[in-house]
Amino acid sequence: VQKDLVTVAGTLEAAAEAVVGHRVHITGCGRTDAGVHARAYVANFRTGSTIPPERLPYALNTHLPPDIVVTGAREVHEDFNAIGSCVRKSYTYLIYNDRIRNPFYVNRAWFYPRRLDEAVMQAAADQFVGTHDFAAFTDKKEEKSTKRTIYAIIVSGQGSRVKIRYEGTGFLYHMVRILTGTLIEAGTGERSPESAADALRTLDRRQSGFLAPAQGLFLQEVHYR
C-alpha cells in the first residue's frame, strides 16, 4: 500500500473492507515491482465476518477492477501467513523474440528483436540451480541473507515466444529480472554460459547481467506445506 499511488494491495484492502464491514490488513505472499503480473497470488486477512469463505470471491469481485480477480477463498489456521508460510514460488518470464513486435503482447511480454540461442541460455541457466549466495543478482543490499535455493530454470521456445520458468524457495529483490538479463546476454553471445557461475562466485552485482523489464514477468505459482 502506498500513500499517493494506486496499488493492487490498496485496491484489494478497500474491496475487502467494503465486503466485511471493517478495516482489514491484507498480508500478501510477496512484493512485486510495478508492471509485474501474477497468474496466481495468495493473500490472507483476519475477519469476524460470517460470510462463508466460498462466497467471498464473488462478493470481492463486485468491488474490484477488471484486472484484479479473486479466484478462491478458504479459512486457514491462526498462524498461517501468506509470505512466511510459503515454501516455494515459481515465476515465468515471457519474451516475444521477433523482428516485428506483436501488439497483443504489449505489457505482457518483453519484445526483444535480437535472435536468442535458447540452448545457450539453458546452459547458462543450469549454472544457477542449487543453493547459492545470489548477492550478485539483487539490487538491494540490506537483505538479511542473500542465499536462496533454485530448484529449476527451464528455457523453452514456441515460435516467437521464449519462456523462462524459475522455481525456487524464494527470490531476492530484482533477482529474477537480473537472472533473465544474464541469460539474454548468454543467448546473444555477449557472455559465455560459464560466466554465470563466475558472477555467482564474485558476489558482485557488476558481474551479472542487466535488469530485464518488469512487464514480461509473471508470478506463476505459490506453494505451501
Side-chain angles (χ1 to χ4, degrees):
V1 177
Q2 303 290 329
K3 284 185 178 180
D4 303 317
L5 294 173
V6 176
T7 64
V8 175
T11 303
L12 190 57
E13 284 191 355
E17 180 178 343
V19 170
V20 301
H22 61 82
R23 295 200 65 176
V24 300
H25 171 70
I26 289 182
T27 299
C29 63
R31 295 184 66 174
T32 56
D33 303 332
V36 174
H37 310 292
R39 288 195 172 97
Y41 191 91
V42 176
N44 68 271
F45 68 92
R46 295 177 181 273
T47 180
S49 170
T50 57
I51 300 174
E54 63 271 17
R55 298 299 306 169
L56 274 175
Y58 303 98
L60 288 166
N61 288 334
T62 63
H63 295 275
L64 290 170
D67 55 350
I68 304 175
V69 177
V70 176
T71 59
R74 68 174 66 177
E75 189 172 357
V76 292
H77 51 80
E78 284 291 322
D79 59 349
F80 177 86
N81 180 284
I83 188 168
S85 303
C86 178
V87 295
R88 180 190 293 229
K89 289 181 180 178
S90 64
Y91 284 88
T92 295
Y93 197 98
L94 185 60
I95 302 164
Y96 191 76
N97 188 213
D98 205 329
R99 294 181 63 187
I100 298 176
R101 67 180 181 272
N102 186 326
F104 295 104
Y105 284 100
V106 172
N107 293 328
R108 295 296 183 272
W110 179 24
F111 168 56
Y112 192 82
R114 292 182 61 186
R115 182 183 176 278
L116 295 171
D117 188 323
E118 294 157 24
V120 174
M121 292 173 68
Q122 184 63 64
D126 292 341
Q127 312 293 311
F128 299 121
V129 176
T131 302
H132 306 284
D133 189 333
F134 285 93
F137 293 85
T138 179
D139 288 323
K140 185 181 286 185
K141 298 305 179 186
E142 60 266 27
E143 299 278 359
K144 291 181 180 178
S145 172
T146 48
K147 286 187 177 181
R148 294 293 186 273
T149 298
I150 291 184
Y151 298 115
I153 302 177
I154 302 168
V155 181
S156 59
Q158 184 178 11
S160 297
R161 297 195 330 159
V162 176
K163 185 167 66 174
I164 310 172
R165 184 178 176 93
Y166 298 88
E167 295 186 18
T169 53
F171 298 88
L172 301 165
Y173 179 67
H174 282 170
M175 179 174 162
V176 175
R177 292 169 61 189
I178 296 170
L179 287 170
T180 300
T182 306
L183 299 186
I184 290 290
E185 290 177 359
T188 57
E190 296 173 47
R191 69 162 64 225
S192 67
E194 296 74 25
S195 70
D198 295 337
L200 271 175
R201 284 191 290 268
T202 66
L203 307 181
D204 185 351
R205 174 67 181 90
R206 294 170 295 180
Q207 302 303 314
S208 56
F210 63 90
L211 179 68
Q215 285 75 13
L217 183 57
F218 293 78
L219 176 60
Q220 193 75 28
E221 290 180 289
V222 188
H223 299 272
Y224 296 87
R225 290 190 181 87

